[in-house]
Amino acid sequence: MQNENDSTTVKGNTVCITGAASGIGKALTRTFLRAGSYVAAVDQNMLGLDHLKTEMNDPKLLIFQAQLAQKEDVIKVSNEIVYEFGGVHVLINNAGILDDFLPAHEISDLFWDKVLKINLYAPFLLCRELLPQMLKRGKGNIINIASVGGTHGCRAGVAYTSSKHALLGMTKNIAFTYAQKGIRCNAIAPGAIQTDIAIGMKPDPLGYERSSGGFSLIPRTGSPEEIASIALFLAGNESSMINGAVITADAGWTAY
């Protein structure tokens, strides 16, 4: 186990990562395993999880399949992780989906519900299920992967934008509520990152036209590994004074 006075690592800690089979989640998994953490990798894509397990070939990695849009699956996987690891030290709510840039007058109830369930309700459920054992231990760390879509009004469609704004609100509420219980909660708001999240998307013409106006101003596209390095810092004791913060990682895009 990690020495409480060791300010350098998360070695020996258990880290739960959602959306772990690809993109930022895969980079998070690699980064924390290499730092010596035990990782509970959660994703709906079992084939991707199997590939991850084979690639990493690390006994500290356990994989868990869950449909994060399904409440029962989220609760079930939370219980499985607690059973296997006795709880988690760090929860990273990374899984998320885009919304085809759909504006408010075009989005269906079904699609709205799907985006909100994965981007907001699943992180809430995981927090609710895993916070009790963090409280019992007197220590815990929650990192929510948000987006500049949660700090600005038109980087995506109405559902994604709403979900990420709400995720930042939840981050700040949890941070202050549990600050004196040894539990921190922060968010990372990436800008343009090299992932496959947009594969298969069919952008709405109006929504995309309004959202894409600033795309030409993006200084550069970041890598998943760059986001993972920020999460590693937030998970460690070096960042002990950072709580309730939103770390924007967009190469300066939103500074314009």
Side-chain angles (χ1 to χ4, degrees):
M1 297 300 290
Q2 181 184 6
N3 187 312
E4 293 293 325
N5 296 318
D6 181 3
S7 64
T8 60
T9 71
V10 292
K11 185 176 181 180
N13 283 357
T14 297
V15 183
C16 173
I17 300 169
T18 66
S22 62
I24 293 173
K26 192 170 185 179
L28 287 164
T29 301
R30 289 172 175 156
T31 296
F32 277 89
L33 284 173
R34 289 168 182 164
S37 298
Y38 294 86
V39 175
V42 181
D43 204 290
Q44 66 177 5
N45 181 359
M46 194 63 208
L47 181 60
L49 287 173
D50 285 336
H51 286 164
L52 178 66
K53 183 74 172 175
T54 300
E55 176 190 333
M56 297 309 299
N57 190 28
D58 191 325
K60 300 191 305 301
L61 171 65
L62 292 183
I63 58 175
F64 300 85
Q65 184 181 31
Q67 297 286 342
L68 294 179
Q70 303 296 325
K71 176 181 178 180
E72 296 77 10
D73 257 27
V74 177
I75 294 174
K76 180 174 179 287
V77 78
S78 299
N79 291 334
E80 289 173 350
I81 291 168
V82 171
Y83 176 80
E84 293 290 344
F85 291 106
V88 301
H89 298 86
V90 182
L91 166 63
I92 305 181
N93 288 306
N94 165 72
I97 60 170
L98 290 175
D99 63 359
D100 290 348
F101 292 92
L102 284 162
H105 78 286
E106 292 284 354
I107 194 165
S108 67
D109 289 350
L110 186 64
F111 201 18
W112 170 271
D113 287 346
K114 181 180 179 181
V115 173
L116 269 291
K117 282 179 179 178
I118 294 174
N119 292 4
L120 180 63
Y121 193 38
F124 157 70
L125 286 173
L126 284 162
C127 289
R128 189 179 72 181
E129 295 301 310
L130 296 176
L131 271 167
Q133 52 84 22
M134 291 182 180
L135 285 167
K136 186 176 181 180
R137 183 185 292 118
K139 187 175 183 181
N141 199 317
I142 299 168
I143 301 168
N144 294 319
I145 306 300
S147 167
V148 293
T151 61
H152 289 67
C154 202
R155 296 297 192 274
V158 66
Y160 184 87
T161 301
S162 299
S163 69
K164 294 300 185 178
H165 272 75
L167 185 62
L168 295 184
M170 187 175 79
T171 298
K172 294 177 182 182
N173 179 271
I174 289 173
F176 192 80
T177 299
Y178 299 97
Q180 295 176 318
K181 302 293 185 180
I183 297 169
R184 292 190 290 130
C185 185
N186 293 290
I188 304 171
I193 304 296
Q194 300 161 6
T195 71
D196 59 4
I197 192 173
I199 290 178
M201 188 172 64
K202 299 177 181 178
D204 175 86
L206 172 62
Y208 184 76
E209 184 270 328
R210 298 304 293 160
S211 296
S212 63
F215 287 1
S216 63
L217 302 177
I218 297 173
R220 71 173 178 87
T221 301
S223 70
E225 289 73 22
E226 288 176 293
I227 304 305
S229 68
I230 299 169
L232 184 64
F233 168 68
L234 288 175
N237 290 346
E238 301 95 329
S239 61
S240 61
M241 274 294 286
I242 302 177
N243 190 28
V246 180
I247 309 298
T248 301
D250 67 351
W253 181 22
T254 55
Y256 176 76

